Amino acid sequence: MSNSARNVRRGLPIVVSAASGTGKTSLCRALLKTLSNVSSSISYTTREPRGEEVHGREYYFVDDATFDRMIGAREFVEWAEVFGRRYGTAFHTVEEQLDAGTDVLLDIDVQGGAQIRDRVAGAVLIFLLPPSMDELRRRLTNRAEDSPCDIERRLAEAKEEILASAPYDYLLINDDFDEALSTLRSVIRAERLRRSRPSDLVQRLLSS
Ligand code: 5GP
């Protein structure tokens, strides 16, 4: 899409959710690298940074008091408690990018997805599924981050998340990574072309 055409439309809010172990993070990273005009929304969280994570890149890491203040000041378009920690998306992060015509990828949980659907016009909600629950168990075991007890807990939570995916627009199975990435890109490309999205493309074309 040319810059002139891109600037006339508001960006597309894209929510991607999945149960942990489904490969959401890798898929979202690959999407950001291979699709133009889409950027990620950086969330606020009260959890500690892990490994190489950097404040302002993966997350804004804040303390509970700061998070409470932001809730009080209505700075979040959505927020939720996930695995005992709080995560939230700030209005300004999303709105500034959407207003600039950039599509915004929100890698958030199903509670957040439901809030975005209700509060952000035109949001597209995509839920990633594992090919099977056996495969999900295998992936969680192979990444060796959790104890057997934690893996059972994550599987139980995965079932809850999958059941909560009912309001999502698209279900995408992440079996083969490249195929899932290609399907994800196709969904976004098609959504960009929806006639219902505010755009003055037709007027511009006819008056050119
Ligand atoms: P992690 O701590 O592993 O980075 O993320 C844990 C979960 O929190 C993931 O499912 C992730 O998508 C979700 N998450 C990350 N940021 C947000 C956010 O801003 N809001 C909500 N609702 N969930 C988030």
Side-chain angles (χ1 to χ4, degrees):
M1 188 184 283
S2 72
N3 271 339
S4 55
R6 188 187 301 153
N7 289 340
V8 300
R9 79 152 174 73
R10 190 170 147 81
L12 175 67
I14 308 156
V15 171
V16 177
S17 303
S20 66
T22 311
K24 178 180 57 163
T25 309
S26 312
L27 213 51
C28 286
R29 279 203 193 121
L31 179 76
L32 289 164
K33 276 196 195 140
T34 57
L35 191 67
S36 61
N37 199 42
V38 54
S39 67
S40 64
S41 151
I42 301 171
S43 299
Y44 288 76
T45 182
T46 59
R47 81 153 165 77
E48 298 293 316
R50 283 196 297 247
E52 308 276 284
E53 287 179 337
V54 173
H55 179 81
R57 191 178 65 189
E58 281 80 14
Y59 285 104
Y60 297 109
F61 298 97
V62 295
D63 57 19
D64 275 307
T66 305
F67 206 92
D68 284 340
R69 186 196 56 70
M70 292 180 74
I71 294 172
R74 299 184 186 277
E75 288 182 34
F76 291 123
V77 58
E78 67 77 30
W79 71 269
E81 191 171 312
V82 188
F83 308 133
R85 297 304 178 122
R86 291 183 294 174
Y87 296 81
T89 307
F91 267 107
H92 73 87
T93 317
V94 177
E95 289 301 320
E96 278 166 19
Q97 297 182 88
L98 293 178
D99 283 347
T102 305
D103 298 342
V104 180
L105 182 66
L106 298 110
D107 167 349
I108 61 177
D109 86 321
V110 284
Q111 306 170 74
Q115 295 171 57
I116 293 289
R117 188 202 50 193
D118 292 344
R119 295 178 192 161
V120 181
V124 179
L125 278 74
I126 303 166
F127 192 86
L128 286 182
L129 290 167
S132 68
M133 294 312 283
D134 278 348
E135 176 59 23
L136 184 61
R137 180 190 296 274
R138 216 173 357 257
R139 289 181 190 175
L140 287 170
T141 309
N142 285 349
R143 71 181 192 181
E145 276 178 13
D146 301 305
S147 66
C149 178
D150 282 342
I151 289 174
E152 290 313 313
R153 187 176 52 84
R154 283 195 185 272
L155 279 170
E157 281 161 0
K159 285 183 188 151
E160 294 296 317
E161 289 248 325
I162 291 168
L163 286 171
S165 69
Y168 279 61
D169 302 303
Y170 295 92
L171 293 176
L172 203 157
I173 296 175
N174 186 13
D175 189 356
D176 177 79
F177 182 86
D178 291 336
E179 199 181 317
L181 178 60
S182 160
T183 309
L184 185 57
R185 278 199 303 254
S186 302
V187 166
I188 296 169
R189 288 197 180 111
E191 283 290 336
R192 284 174 172 173
L193 300 177
R194 263 190 195 273
R195 183 140 202 154
S196 56
R197 303 216 176 273
S199 158
D200 63 356
L201 269 181
V202 170
Q203 288 98 311
R204 285 158 59 86
L205 175 70
L206 297 180
S207 64
S208 65

